[in-house]
Amino acid sequence: MTRLDVNGKAVEVDADPSTPILWALRDNLSMTGTKFGCGMALCGACTVHLNGAAVRSCITPISAAVGQKITTIEAQPADPVGKAVIAAWVRHDVAQCGYCQSGQVMSATALLKGNKRPTDAQIDAAMAGNICRCGTYQRIRAAIRDASASVSAA
Ligand code: FES
Ligand code: FES
């Protein structure tokens, strides 16, 4: 058994320590908001936070998360920054098929938690690893600027 902290809750996962966080979340904990895209840290669909930093859960083993805090898309509606990001996503009608979007939101919230007023270059750098096959990039950038304005005003 591996003990993990997921969204502030202590959970036990019956899986090999080398199991990627992605599969522990989806298969052991039935938390399916985190998506599998490439499995090779190339698309960002599986992005979660580990102690607040955006990481690719498809290549991060649960052994690396012991004693650390895992945060997933499921916790974002209850988080002030996550809430602001989701509200901006809705205002800008960002999602198309939606598959990449939980990863996009997780990268955006990690960015805004560390930097409430990122420049366009900082937004581009933070989001560069998140691929969207539907090409929603412009709306993602607009929504992040919008969320940044609400987070800075709060
Ligand atoms: S599934 Fe993890 S980066 Fe693509
Ligand atoms: S909204 Fe379809 S892949 Fe991004």
Side-chain angles (χ1 to χ4, degrees), residues 45-129:
C46 66
T47 304
V48 299
H49 298 173
L50 196 56
N51 294 337
V55 298
R56 306 302 182 225
S57 67
C58 67
I59 56 146
T60 310
I62 54 174
S63 58
V66 175
Q68 321 288 318
K69 288 181 183 307
I70 299 170
T71 309
T72 71
I73 188 70
E74 283 86 355
Q76 297 315 302
D79 176 271
V81 174
K83 206 168 156 180
V85 168
I86 292 168
W89 244 244
V90 171
R91 280 196 293 279
H92 290 266
D93 206 5
V94 172
Q96 197 163 315
C97 81
Y99 198 82
C100 72
Q101 296 293 331
S102 57
Q104 305 278 3
V105 166
M106 293 309 287
S107 288
T109 53
L111 168 67
L112 292 177
K113 278 172 181 280
N115 178 1
K116 286 182 180 177
R117 294 168 190 255
T119 63
D120 284 350
Q122 287 169 330
I123 293 174
D124 287 348
M127 303 304 294

Side-chain angles (χ1 to χ4, degrees), residues 131-147:
I131 307 299
C132 175
R133 289 185 65 128
C134 300
T136 63
Y137 299 110
Q138 284 194 332
R139 296 201 295 275
I140 287 171
R141 268 48 171 186
I144 293 174
R145 284 186 215 109
D146 187 358

Side-chain angles (χ1 to χ4, degrees), residues 10-24:
V11 295
E12 288 199 335
V13 171
D14 185 9
D16 188 272
S18 65
T19 303
I21 292 172
L22 172 66
W23 299 117

